[in-house]
């Protein structure tokens, strides 16, 4: 099935916008189409957890009236859109899955969401997250559990799990997520959609924040999620740019990549690492993709940057937990410290790094940041010879829901043996800690009928190179496939 053969609700946002502009469907009717699907399918997956339909319907009518006057608001004119719950959208609940913030309804809208609205989207609802965006499953005490539309017994990923599930099930035209630990990339992988973690700092984090939050966290980024690479490109062009504090002195430059086909790409491949075992079923799909890349004429080499990946990962976890420590309660840090004392550092290396990271002094943080900058130069040199580096997005396809115990204690099955869920953070940090952009796109369906994705990392600021690669893969190998029954 090609993209053009898909039903309306599985079409890309750019195709939906084109249909509205061509008067093939009104923005109002398009919105009602998605609302009808939500009524039918959302109860089983709980991806969309809050909606303001009166506001959305009024906005859609305005979009239709503007078009009748010959006005086009932007490249996404009339496209119905959801956003991750953690983004402020004036008047909407923004509680990050935390009961104590249940009634938090900011009066302002996140800067990137404002930009998307200026480009024509019709925001109508919000998608689910784990508490404090701190898990690879999307379950919280406020909104409950989100299920993967490919198999409701499995997780959709996190923390943008509701976003990916809504896209996969055809409940929204596009979505916006955030990513500090693969929170865009991991759900895209588990649900079979596209996601971009942009170059750090390229998109403003303004008003994607907990109550009272103004400073932007290290490593963290916001970015687009969609059913096509074209959508990522369009949304990136809309969302990128300086923060309100910096817009007097700089502008975003997003260089395009000249390649129009896979044969034009120089591709490096890294399909494993001692730090994180990859399930054979997933590895098989990535191997199939590599063979398809070669068959398409691409230049492919199994190579990687000359870096100590064990140290890179340790550095990532330390800096990650330092970044999130600003919103971590003292009681949590005290509990983790007691748990570490009980089990020992060798039995729980992630817990050890987590505890150390949350309690770093600024003086201790500075040499770690300096070491990170050295790693960034190594990646810079590597990308002089390659356009993208292909690697896994996680250890396996989606896994069963599990809210028992602490995150560091939970296990998933990889090649018949238990693996700590937190081991998969290796593939999040590999590009994240050095601020590089990476796209996750569909790599196929496993023998068990689950989607898996590839991760395409590009050089700093070369977000559109990663997107161009994803577009070529989508066109020449394959892209989004809808889950059965939707």
């Amino acid at each position: 099935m090609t993209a053009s053969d898909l039903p309306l609700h599985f079409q890309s946002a750019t195709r939906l916008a084109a249909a509205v502009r061509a008067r093939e469907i009104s923005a109002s009717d398009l919105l009602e189409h998605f609302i009808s699907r939500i009524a039918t399918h959302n109860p089983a997956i709980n991806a969309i957890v809050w909606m303001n339909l009166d506001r959305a319907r009024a906005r859609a009518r305005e979009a239709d009236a503007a078009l009748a006057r010959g006005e086009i608001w932007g490249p996404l004119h009339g496209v119905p859109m959801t956003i991750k719950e953690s983004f402020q959208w004036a008047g909407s609940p923004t509680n990050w899955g935390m009961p104590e913030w249940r009634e938090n309804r900011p009066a302002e809208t996140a800067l990137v969401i404002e930009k998307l609205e200026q480009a024509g989207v019709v925001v109508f609802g919000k998608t689910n997250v784990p508490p404090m965006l701190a898990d690879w499953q999307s379950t919280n005490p406020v909104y409950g559990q989100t299920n993967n539309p490919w198999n409701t017994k499995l997780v959709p990923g996190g923390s943008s799990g509701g976003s990916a599930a809504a896209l996969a099930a055809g409940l929204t035209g596009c979505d916006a997520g955030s990513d500090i630990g693969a929170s865009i990339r991991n759900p895209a992988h588990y649900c079979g959609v596209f996601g971009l973690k942009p170059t750090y700092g390229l998109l403003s984090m303004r008003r994607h924040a907990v109550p009272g939050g103004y400073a932007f966290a290290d490593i963290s980024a916001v970015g687009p999620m969609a059913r096509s690479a074209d959508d990522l490109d369009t949304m990136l062009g809309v969302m990128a740019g300086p923060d309100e504090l910096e817009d007097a002195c700089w502008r975003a430059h997003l260089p395009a990549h000249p390649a129009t086909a896979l044969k034009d790409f120089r591709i490096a491949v890294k399909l494993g690492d001692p730090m994180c075992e990859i399930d054979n079923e997933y590895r098989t799909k990535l191997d199939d993709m590599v063979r398809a890349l070669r068959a398409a004429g691409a230049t492919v080499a199994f190579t990687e940057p000359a870096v100590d990946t064990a140290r890179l990962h340790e550095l990532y976890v330390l800096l990650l937990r330092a970044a999130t420590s600003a919103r971590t309660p003292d009681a949590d840090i005290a509990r983790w410290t007691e748990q570490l004392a009980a089990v020992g550092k060798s039995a729980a290396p992630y817990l050890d790094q987590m505890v150390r990271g949350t309690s770093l002094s600024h003086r201790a943080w500075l040499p770690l940041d300096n070491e990170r900058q050295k790693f960034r130069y190594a990646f810079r040199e590597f990308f002089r010879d390659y356009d993208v580096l292909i690697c896994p997005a996680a250890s396996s396809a989606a896994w069963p829901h599990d809210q028992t115990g602490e995150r560091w204690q939970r296990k998933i099955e990889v090649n018949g043996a238990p693996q700590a869920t937190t081991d998969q953070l290796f593939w999040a940090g590999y590009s994240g800690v050095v601020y590089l952009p990476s796209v996750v796109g569909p790599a196929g369906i496993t023998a068990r009928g689950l989607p898996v994705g590839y991760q395409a990392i590009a050089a700093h600021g070369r977000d559109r190179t990663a997107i161009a690669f994803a577009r070529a893969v989508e066109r020449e190998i394959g892209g989004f496939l809808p889950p059965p029954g939707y």
Side-chain angles (χ1 to χ4, degrees):
M1 180 182 292
T2 64
S4 59
D5 295 327
L6 293 172
L8 180 69
H9 40 271
F10 289 129
Q11 293 288 328
S12 69
T14 50
R15 286 178 179 268
L16 294 176
V20 170
R21 289 194 302 270
R23 317 293 177 91
E24 296 170 5
I25 189 171
S26 68
S28 295
D29 287 345
L30 184 58
L31 175 63
E32 294 302 325
H33 178 77
F34 280 105
I35 292 171
S36 176
R37 285 190 54 77
I38 291 164
T40 300
H41 296 292
N42 194 59
I45 59 175
N46 192 37
I48 298 171
V49 293
W50 186 88
M51 294 189 292
N52 186 333
L53 297 184
D54 288 342
R55 180 174 172 181
R57 283 168 170 145
R59 167 80 169 172
R61 289 194 295 270
E62 292 171 4
D64 290 330
L67 195 60
R69 297 190 300 268
E71 300 174 11
I72 297 176
W73 289 340
L76 297 170
H77 187 108
V79 175
M81 180 181 184
T82 47
I83 59 176
K84 188 176 182 177
E85 202 276 349
S86 48
F87 284 100
Q88 293 182 21
W89 186 47
S92 71
T94 309
N95 55 54
W96 290 46
M98 302 296 287
E100 58 266 41
W101 294 333
R102 187 187 296 268
E103 300 306 320
N104 180 52
R105 292 176 179 253
E108 295 181 292
T109 296
L111 182 58
V112 293
I113 306 304
E114 288 181 343
K115 290 183 175 185
L116 286 163
E117 289 187 313
Q118 291 164 8
V121 301
V122 177
V123 177
F124 68 89
K126 289 188 143 185
T127 49
N128 207 18
V129 298
M132 296 302 290
L133 317 187
D135 206 343
W136 275 10
Q137 48 193 331
S138 295
T139 302
N140 63 70
V142 180
Y143 300 116
Q145 176 176 287
T146 297
N147 303 318
N148 192 315
W150 286 85
N151 182 336
T152 56
K153 295 180 180 180
L154 306 181
V155 301
S159 61
S160 308
S163 302
L167 285 164
L171 307 185
T172 186
C174 56
D175 202 286
S178 60
D179 188 316
I180 193 172
S183 287
I184 287 173
R185 294 165 287 164
N186 160 271
H189 159 70
Y190 286 160
C191 292
V193 299
F194 289 82
L196 167 69
K197 185 208 78 66
T199 297
Y200 179 72
L202 182 59
L203 279 63
S204 172
M205 298 282 291
R206 184 66 58 202
R207 293 183 288 280
H208 177 273
V210 298
Y214 289 91
F216 304 159
D218 184 25
I219 306 172
S220 188
V222 295
M225 301 181 70
R227 285 184 292 268
S228 81
D230 278 343
D231 288 357
L232 296 185
D233 193 52
T234 298
M235 295 173 72
L236 175 66
V238 169
M239 299 167 76
D243 181 59
E244 297 165 328
L245 296 176
E246 301 163 340
D247 58 6
C249 61
W250 75 269
R251 294 289 181 271
H253 173 59
L254 298 168
H257 192 276
T260 58
L262 287 173
K263 64 180 178 60
D264 302 319
F265 282 91
R266 303 167 301 165
I267 303 166
V269 178
K270 174 182 171 64
L271 297 187
D273 192 274
M275 295 302 299
C276 183
E277 184 179 359
I278 303 301
D279 191 76
N280 290 336
E281 195 175 40
Y282 179 22
R283 173 65 187 256
T284 295
K285 299 310 299 183
L286 294 176
D287 286 336
D288 290 345
M289 178 180 171
V290 171
R291 282 191 289 270
L293 292 172
R294 283 183 164 148
T299 300
V300 178
F302 279 86
T303 185
E304 60 187 274
V307 299
D308 179 346
T309 58
R311 179 55 183 167
L312 181 71
H313 181 58
E314 181 179 28
L315 193 69
Y316 166 64
V317 176
L318 291 171
L319 293 175
L320 167 70
R321 301 312 308 201
T324 59
S325 67
R327 56 181 189 245
T328 302
D330 291 342
D332 287 348
I333 298 175
R335 185 179 70 255
W336 296 332
T337 302
E338 291 176 1
Q339 291 170 344
L340 182 62
V343 300
K345 295 180 180 180
S346 61
Y350 174 78
L351 179 61
D352 174 46
Q353 293 165 5
M354 182 170 70
V355 169
R356 284 191 285 138
T358 55
S359 56
L360 279 176
S361 69
H362 186 58
R363 188 166 187 265
W365 182 91
L366 288 170
L368 299 179
D369 180 50
N370 186 66
E371 189 176 358
R372 182 238 309 269
Q373 302 307 325
K374 182 179 179 181
F375 276 118
R376 291 184 68 196
Y377 276 101
F379 277 88
R380 179 175 181 266
E381 289 302 310
F382 179 80
F383 280 112
R384 292 184 188 278
D385 298 320
Y386 297 96
D387 299 310
V388 292
L389 170 61
I390 305 304
C391 64
S395 294
S396 67
W399 36 274
H401 298 284
D402 179 10
Q403 286 96 49
T404 60
E406 301 268 3
R407 185 182 183 189
W408 66 269
Q409 297 169 317
R410 298 173 193 150
K411 307 288 185 180
I412 61 172
E413 185 177 302
V414 176
N415 296 324
Q419 180 190 97
T421 60
T422 50
D423 285 358
Q424 301 177 93
L425 282 167
F426 173 82
W427 299 109
Y430 187 69
S431 61
V433 70
V434 288
Y435 297 160
L436 298 181
S438 54
V439 166
V440 165
I445 308 299
T446 68
R448 289 183 292 171
L450 296 176
V452 288
Y454 62 86
Q455 180 172 194
I457 304 169
H460 191 274
R462 298 289 177 174
D463 301 57
R464 281 191 158 145
T465 296
I467 293 173
F469 172 79
R471 182 187 292 116
V473 170
E474 183 181 11
R475 183 172 57 246
E476 298 181 44
I477 299 176
F480 169 76
L481 293 172
Y486 290 87

